[in-house]
Amino acid sequence: MTKLRSHLMKSLALALLLLPGISLASSEGGAMESAQIDLTDKAALQRGASLYMNYCSSCHSLSYQRYSRMGEDLGLTKEQVEQNLIFTDAKIGETIDTGMDAANATAWLGKAPPDLSVVARTKAEGADWIYNYLKSFYVDESRPMGWNNTVFPGASMPHVLWEMQGMQHPVLEPKRKGANGEEEACHAGEVGGQCIKGFVIPDAQKGSMDAEQYDRVARDLSTFLAYVGEPSAVKRESMGVWVVLFLAFLTFLAYLLKVEYWRDVH
Ligand code: HEC
């Protein structure tokens, strides 16, 4: 009897663990800050889509994603998508391509901007990587575009959101010495042999937003790109809770059945 019960509990625990979209333990992202994205947050997804179309789509394509599908998933009408989110001559049924020519982009930036359809999935840290990347641009005159990034050192992408965030400058500290007297590697990039320990934004170079507002911009964009990387995740996450309730209900039924069967045996 107790054996059966513990078996049932184990099955339920296993079923819960195997449920897609529900992670019981969140992974530690190293030095990265968690983006705390919520794929069921339609408003965040809509803001992210709008930010993406305004600030990113001129360089990056999302060639696995159609405008129409995006509209459906984000709860937008065909008209809303056409009026607010399509900036090229694309039709609603087409994929989200950039207006920029790859050869021109390479000539200008030194590198063609990659397609971002699955970028949130190709990074080990997922959407957190994008969130941290968007927050880690800093002024570096030695770079062709005048920008560098601690999450992606030497990136050839300029900081396209600088008017919102402002212009970050690195705060430096000498490299630490380890127990054996050797210099340790820096956590987040280095400039002139010193480690970057943080950023400051001089008053004259403040952006239109404060840090909290800009965090939300970075989070909305990360949420949107996480969705684009796995469009079905939006539906799955909202289904997850029903699946758990359903399983709990099934377990309860199984338990009642068991009680019923064993009644005669005893
Ligand atoms: C002016 C063109 C341009 C714009 C606008 C732009 N990017 Fe980029 N982006 C690039 C280039 C070029 C790279 C490649 C950098 C490299 O490999 O050095 C890149 C790389 C990236 C990467 C890393 C891709 C990878 O596979 O590692 C991400 C993520 C990214 N961009 C996100 C964004 C987001 C989000 C926006 C809008 C807020 C944006 N980009 C706007 C040019 C641009």
Side-chain angles (χ1 to χ4, degrees):
M1 156 111 190
T2 43
K3 220 176 174 184
L4 190 63
R5 182 183 293 161
S6 81
H7 184 72
L8 269 175
M9 295 302 285
K10 267 189 212 144
S11 315
L12 180 66
L14 192 70
L16 283 174
L17 275 173
L18 291 178
L19 271 184
I22 298 176
S23 45
L24 296 180
S26 61
S27 59
E28 286 276 312
M32 291 223 174
E33 214 182 308
S34 165
Q36 295 183 319
I37 62 166
D38 175 3
L39 286 174
T40 62
D41 186 345
K42 285 265 154 66
L45 282 165
Q46 291 176 2
R47 288 193 304 264
S50 164
L51 285 161
Y52 185 88
M53 296 307 161
N54 278 289
Y55 293 95
C56 320
S57 68
S58 54
C59 286
H60 295 283
S61 54
L62 298 175
S63 52
Y64 296 166
Q65 180 82 39
R66 289 178 197 283
Y67 288 104
S68 46
R69 170 76 196 262
M70 177 184 73
E72 276 166 36
D73 289 341
L74 270 50
L76 300 168
T77 63
K78 181 172 176 277
E79 288 69 33
Q80 283 172 321
V81 174
E82 282 171 345
Q83 279 160 26
N84 306 317
L85 297 176
I86 301 185
F87 294 161
T88 60
D89 52 12
K91 301 269 175 303
I92 183 111
E94 289 176 2
T95 55
I96 305 177
D97 292 319
T98 165
M100 202 201 275
D101 178 72
N104 283 344
T106 314
W108 174 36
L109 300 162
K111 198 143 197 192
D115 185 275
L116 295 183
S117 301
V118 292
V119 68
R121 276 201 279 158
T122 56
K123 304 288 179 193
E125 299 86 355
D128 289 351
W129 191 94
I130 300 166
Y131 178 72
N132 285 268
Y133 174 59
L134 294 175
K135 288 176 56 166
S136 301
F137 282 94
Y138 65 93
V139 175
D140 181 351
E141 303 300 347
S142 73
R143 299 286 312 154
M145 287 286 144
W147 293 102
N148 208 333
N149 192 295
T150 48
V151 169
F152 186 168
S156 39
M157 171 171 147
H159 187 14
V160 295
L161 303 174
W162 69 273
E163 277 170 309
M164 296 177 186
Q165 189 188 25
M167 297 168 83
Q168 296 194 124
H169 292 258
V171 180
L172 303 174
E173 65 182 355
K175 284 188 181 169
R176 295 220 179 95
K177 291 235 161 65
N180 54 6
E182 274 177 35
E183 283 182 344
E184 287 178 358
C186 301
H187 281 302
E190 57 178 272
V191 177
Q194 290 195 299
C195 293
I196 299 178
K197 71 166 181 182
F199 297 118
V200 279
I201 304 178
D203 279 342
Q205 296 182 340
K206 287 249 182 297
S208 60
M209 296 184 168
D210 62 25
E212 206 175 308
Q213 291 168 320
Y214 183 72
D215 282 359
R216 194 178 84 166
V217 163
R219 179 173 306 112
D220 291 345
L221 277 164
S222 313
T223 310
F224 175 67
L225 285 174
Y227 149 72
V228 170
E230 210 176 347
S232 51
V234 166
K235 284 199 185 104
R236 199 175 61 206
E237 295 237 335
S238 53
M239 248 172 74
V241 64
W242 294 108
V243 175
V244 172
L245 286 176
F246 179 67
L247 279 179
F249 179 64
L250 269 189
T251 309
F252 179 63
L253 279 187
Y255 176 76
L256 288 185
L257 257 182
K258 187 206 76 166
V259 171
E260 187 57 34
Y261 282 150
W262 283 78
R263 201 198 310 266
D264 301 335
V265 178
H266 289 306

